[in-house]
Structure formats: structure tokens, C-alpha cells
Amino acid sequence: MHRLLIYSLFVCSSLAFQFPFSIPLFKSKDSADLEQAHISPRIAIIGAGAGGSSAAFWISKAKKRFGIDYYIGGRSIVVYPYNDTTFAPLELGASIFVDANKNLMRASKEFNLTLTAFEDDDSNTGIWDGQNFVLVMESGSYLKSWWATLKVLWRYGYTAPTRTKAIVQSVIDRFLGFYTPESPRWDDISVFSERFQWVSMTNQTASDFLEGNGVAPLFARELVEAATRVNYGQNVDKIHALGGAASMAASGASGVVTGNFRIFEQFLENSTANVFLNTNVKEIKRKSGTSLWTVYTSAGSQIYQGVILAAPFHQTDIILPSDLAELIPPQPYVNLHVTLLTTRSEHPRPEYFGLTSNAQVPPTILTTYEGARAGGVRKVDGAAGDAVTDPESTVKIFSEDRVTDEWLETVFGNVSWVYRKLWQAYPVLPPTSEFPPVKLDQGFYYVNAFEPFISTMETETLASRNVVDLLLHEEFGTGICGALLSGTENATQTAAPADFVLGWDC
């Protein structure tokens, strides 16, 4: 019997996790090296966000025998107004996931987490170009049916929204293949992108791709850009087309009532971790003469058979062997200012938006850069409001620059409580055909290699499932699904049920 130890370290918040459990059916391919080093087979997971927590969960699915003490981490974080937990929590970052996100939807169901459907919100959404509201969509139609509302058809015609919808649906259909028994494993994202015919979407901007497919420029630079700015903080003529399509795939948008971080907390709580505070990963080195790895932390060092890095390498300050570090190009991230506030004002002041004092301002405001391209002034980067407790409302603002108290007073008048957070929220997604390697070396895998391709909470769980499957296959001769590994060459011939989700049901 081999003992497999997962030692998970969340670098950004100085947390460490230790997951002890046995996998009697796993036999290491490097048993001689392990016996020589007097250790049991171990896997280190570095990072405890969506990728790291789900990686621990996928390993637990390979052989269930777990329990956990505690978890904090990731880019999904909540804040309570006035630091009072009797109020509904506010997501600082990743707020929604959608019907096509089968891992997050399944996790919510398995972990008995209550969801709120954003499509049920019947409030209006306005798109602001810095000078005017170029479009206002009523009764939640932005999430429900942006392609078919009369105002959209009137402004942009029939062709642009319907062609964009078809492009988005094509992307969704291809992604749904990753949940089937036939889903492949991949260690080269360029090859993976070619196989699924996504090269044309990752090597050109969303605006160029859409216009090349007959979508009117005005539609791309207003409605699509409103989505890319609120989802990735990037304009449609800068972000690649796959990122643009992902931004528009909002059908069935939901969120966990108590915060989406609860999903990742539950991933860990269902995979048995002991939490070690104030433990940072400092360096990872090859153990001379073996295929093993030594992980050095502020608490000491430990030898591992496998390492999964599930955090952006250049943000970790971890020292790697130079030949491995050179394989990972710097990945810039969007510096996003998030401002949460409560106000007794029912809505922002209409005068700020050039409206009459008795005009209705949409409760949700998205923005386009088109006004600035035409020489206008960009005033606000996005805001949304919900009731906290009568007579106060909460507002969330995403902005490129810090929002000042003076600006808040100008726009809202009375402001009772303010919370600000600056973070590197999303990877910058310019057109590219080159990606970091998923496999850095034998037994060493990089989950965040997937981020320049596409970055969402869901794709982090897909990338981690792929990495775990590759690692378990390489080191133990089996995978998440046991002897029948995922991948077309190993897929079962039996038709899977319609609700089958790879990793959960295999």
C-alpha cells in the first residue's frame, strides 16, 4: 500500500494545506526512488483558488477517503456591508457562472448550495459610452435574450445579434464536449486549440473576428464590448475572440447565495485538508539523481513525487529551476479597482449622466469605450445595485482607476459605507497562438497554463481535472476515472447518460 499525501499551499494568502490519505490501488512508477528517499508517494498542490481546490477534489474522486479542517483563498471573495454578517454577502470578484458550467453547477447541487438566478432580476441594464446611454434593455433581458430584444434589433439589425449568438453557441457546444467520456487529455494548449478549431478565435481580436464573420462593428463595439469590459476589464479590440465569446455566454447565469467561494471551500472540505497558516512556498527543486521534487517552504522542506502549480507563477515569487522558469512567459493581469458601497439614494444622480432630474437611471450600468474612441470622455466603468435593507441599497463598481470619495458623492450623494479592493482580477487576453506548457517536467504540471487561452472559474476546474488526470496517469498508471482514463483512445463504448459529467460520474 502506498500513502499519497497532498500538501497544498496557497501562496498569495500565506496558507498551507496538508491532505493525508491512502490510495491502495495506486502503484507508483518510481517506487525505487521513493524507497531510496524513505518517503511515501506524495503530490504537492500549490495554490488554493478554483484550480488548486478543485485539483484536490479531483484526486479525492480517484480514491475517496478524506476530511478537511479549514479553507480560505481564491479570486472569489465576499464582503459584508458594515462587516455585519446579517446582511447578504457581496461578491468582490467572480460573481456568476452559467448553465454550461457543468462542474460548478454540479458542485452546487452535490454540496447543497443555494443558488440565485440572475436572469430572475427584472431590472433594466444600460450601456453607457461616457456621454450617453446608447442602449437600455428592460427587465433583465441583457442576460436572458440580448440577441432578440426589440431595442437590440432596432439599433443593430437582425444579422449582428443572431450571428453573434450562433458563434457563442458554437463555442458552448465545443466546451460541453469536455464533460463527456470522450474528452481528451492535453499537455499542449496550442495543439488542443487546433484540434477544437479555436485558433482563429485566439489569434485575433474579438472585434476583428466578429466583423470578419459579418457582425456589424457597432454591435461588437457596444453590446459585446459591454460584456468584455464587465467580465474581463478589456475592450473588444484588445481581447481575443474566445474571451469575447465567453463574455457573451451568460445564459442561465447564477451565483451561490452565500458566495461562490463556498464551492471551493466545499471542494477542499470534501478532500480532507489540514490548514497551515503563514507557510509560503519559496522554492521547488529537482532532487538530484531522481524524478522527485523538493518543495521548500517557510516551515521547512518536503520531497514529493508530483507537483501541481495552481497559481500564476509570476505572482508567487517561487524560485524554480531556470530551465523550467524560462518555459513560463510573464502573464500580465488586469489591475481592477472594486468599490462596494451602501447609499440611501434610490439610484445614481440622473444629472451625472446628462439626464433630467426626474429621469430613471438603469440600476445596472455597463460601459463601452466607443464614446472615448470617438473623442468622448469615459466617466464610469460599471455599476450595479441591490437592496441591502430598506432604505439602503448596495452598489458594486468595477473601474480601471481608484474611485474617489468626491466622485461617489457627486454620483450618489449620500454614501454610508465604502469598501475598496485593488487586485489582479483577470489575465490580459490579447490575441496569441503561444501558450505555456501544461507539463513543465516529469511530475510537474501547471494548471494556470490554461489562463491565456481562457480564464473563468469553470475553466480552472477543467484545467485542474486535466492536470490531475495527466499526473495520475504518468505517476500511478491510472486516472481520475480509474483504469478507463479520459481521452478518446480510452473512452468507454457505452453511451453516457445525458447528464453525465466527467470526473463526477465516471
Side-chain angles (χ1 to χ4, degrees), residues 256-504:
V256 177
V257 170
T258 53
N260 292 333
F261 77 96
R262 291 282 295 148
I263 295 175
F264 313 119
E265 181 180 82
Q266 287 297 312
F267 275 147
L268 284 173
E269 287 186 1
N270 284 270
S271 60
T272 312
N274 299 315
V275 179
F276 296 86
L277 299 175
N278 303 314
T279 305
N280 289 334
V281 179
K282 296 181 176 180
E283 185 175 8
I284 303 171
K285 295 175 65 174
R286 296 182 179 94
K287 181 172 173 55
S288 180
T290 75
S291 60
L292 305 177
W293 300 91
T294 303
V295 177
Y296 297 87
T297 76
S298 57
S301 64
Q302 185 60 268
I303 297 172
Y304 295 95
Q305 184 172 350
V307 175
I308 294 174
L309 179 55
F313 167 63
H314 292 282
Q315 293 183 22
T316 65
D317 295 325
I318 297 173
I319 299 172
L320 296 183
S322 59
D323 60 320
L324 299 189
E326 290 170 0
L327 296 174
I328 308 175
Q331 172 61 58
Y333 279 73
V334 173
N335 290 313
L336 185 74
H337 289 264
V338 181
T339 306
L340 306 177
L341 62 101
T342 60
T343 176
R344 293 181 180 274
S345 300
E346 294 183 1
H347 48 69
R349 287 175 169 168
E351 295 87 350
Y352 177 83
F353 298 97
L355 303 174
T356 60
S357 59
N358 60 348
Q360 289 290 320
V361 178
T364 300
I365 301 171
L366 307 180
T367 64
T368 169
Y369 199 66
E370 189 63 2
R373 291 189 189 99
V377 178
R378 178 165 51 100
K379 294 182 178 180
V380 62
D381 287 291
D386 293 291
V388 174
T389 180
D390 188 47
E392 287 199 319
S393 295
T394 61
V395 178
K396 178 195 290 187
I397 302 171
F398 294 153
S399 59
E400 192 175 307
D401 302 312
R402 186 181 187 274
V403 173
T404 65
D405 290 339
E406 292 76 16
W407 186 90
L408 293 177
E409 185 176 352
T410 297
V411 176
F412 297 101
N414 173 273
V415 174
S416 309
W417 167 84
V418 179
Y419 181 94
R420 293 179 174 89
K421 173 75 174 180
L422 170 63
W423 59 3
Q424 294 182 306
Y426 332 103
V428 177
L429 299 175
T432 184
S433 57
E434 297 181 358
F435 305 93
V438 176
K439 181 179 178 180
L440 298 174
D441 201 347
Q442 181 178 343
F444 197 157
Y445 289 87
Y446 186 39
V447 172
N448 290 64
F450 207 67
E451 281 206 307
F453 181 75
I454 196 64
S455 178
T456 67
M457 293 186 292
E458 179 71 11
T459 53
E460 285 289 288
T461 70
L462 287 170
S464 71
R465 189 197 70 196
N466 173 65
V467 159
V468 167
D469 211 26
L470 287 169
L471 178 57
L472 293 180
H473 179 227
E474 177 185 70
E475 297 299 324
F476 299 99
T478 189
I480 291 173
C481 297
L484 288 176
L485 300 173
S486 61
T488 55
E489 71 278 13
N490 300 291
T492 177
Q493 299 300 309
T494 305
D499 60 351
F500 179 92
V501 180
L502 183 63
W504 294 90

Side-chain angles (χ1 to χ4, degrees), residues 125 137-138 140-146 223 226-227 230 247-248 366:
T125 297
M137 291 174 281
E138 288 88 2
S141 59
Y142 174 73
L143 290 175
K144 291 178 186 174
S145 54
W146 50 262
L223 199 142
V230 74
S247 299
M248 297 297 289
L366 307 180

Side-chain angles (χ1 to χ4, degrees), residues 100-277:
N101 296 163
K102 289 185 176 292
N103 284 336
L104 297 184
M105 284 294 185
R106 180 65 173 270
S108 301
K109 180 180 178 181
E110 295 283 336
F111 303 146
N112 296 314
L113 299 174
T114 303
L115 301 181
T116 180
F118 287 87
E119 287 186 350
D120 292 342
D121 182 0
D122 62 358
S123 62
N124 296 349
T125 297
I127 298 178
W128 170 253
D129 71 354
Q131 293 181 312
N132 303 289
F133 282 107
V134 297
L135 181 69
V136 176
M137 291 174 281
E138 288 88 2
S139 302
S141 59
Y142 174 73
L143 290 175
K144 291 178 186 174
S145 54
W146 50 262
W147 60 89
T149 62
L150 288 177
K151 284 193 174 182
V152 168
L153 296 176
W154 180 262
R155 182 168 180 81
Y156 306 109
Y158 176 79
T159 302
T162 53
R163 286 187 178 176
T164 302
K165 181 178 183 291
I167 290 168
V168 172
Q169 189 59 52
S170 174
V171 170
I172 292 172
D173 290 343
R174 277 176 275 178
F175 261 108
L176 290 177
F178 301 146
Y179 304 101
T180 69
E182 295 77 27
S183 177
R185 293 185 302 274
W186 62 88
D187 57 13
D188 186 317
I189 295 173
S190 294
V191 173
F192 165 84
S193 181
E194 259 185 57
R195 176 175 177 176
F196 285 90
Q197 301 177 353
W198 274 321
V199 173
S200 64
M201 298 193 76
T202 58
N203 69 4
Q204 59 183 315
T205 66
S207 57
D208 286 346
F209 180 85
L210 290 170
E211 290 169 28
N213 281 272
V215 175
L218 187 65
F219 183 83
R221 292 171 180 263
E222 288 187 353
L223 199 142
V224 177
E225 185 161 84
T228 63
R229 286 168 66 83
V230 74
N231 283 286
Y232 288 109
Q234 294 163 66
N235 293 334
V236 76
D237 56 356
K238 301 295 183 183
I239 193 171
H240 62 53
L242 187 59
S247 299
M248 297 297 289
S251 179
S254 301
V256 177
V257 170
T258 53
N260 292 333
F261 77 96
R262 291 282 295 148
I263 295 175
F264 313 119
E265 181 180 82
Q266 287 297 312
F267 275 147
L268 284 173
E269 287 186 1
N270 284 270
S271 60
T272 312
N274 299 315
V275 179
F276 296 86
L277 299 175

Side-chain angles (χ1 to χ4, degrees), residues 46-105:
I46 301 169
S53 62
S54 59
F57 182 74
W58 296 129
I59 291 178
S60 78
K61 296 296 286 184
K63 183 62 183 178
K64 288 186 176 179
R65 193 176 173 183
F66 292 82
I68 188 172
D69 297 327
Y70 189 70
Y71 165 69
I72 304 174
R75 289 205 298 259
S76 175
I77 301 174
V78 297
V79 171
Y80 294 92
Y82 303 101
N83 202 29
D84 186 340
T85 56
T86 62
F87 292 134
L90 305 174
E91 293 276 4
L92 264 176
S95 300
I96 67 170
F97 47 94
V98 299
D99 283 343
N101 296 163
K102 289 185 176 292
N103 284 336
L104 297 184
M105 284 294 185

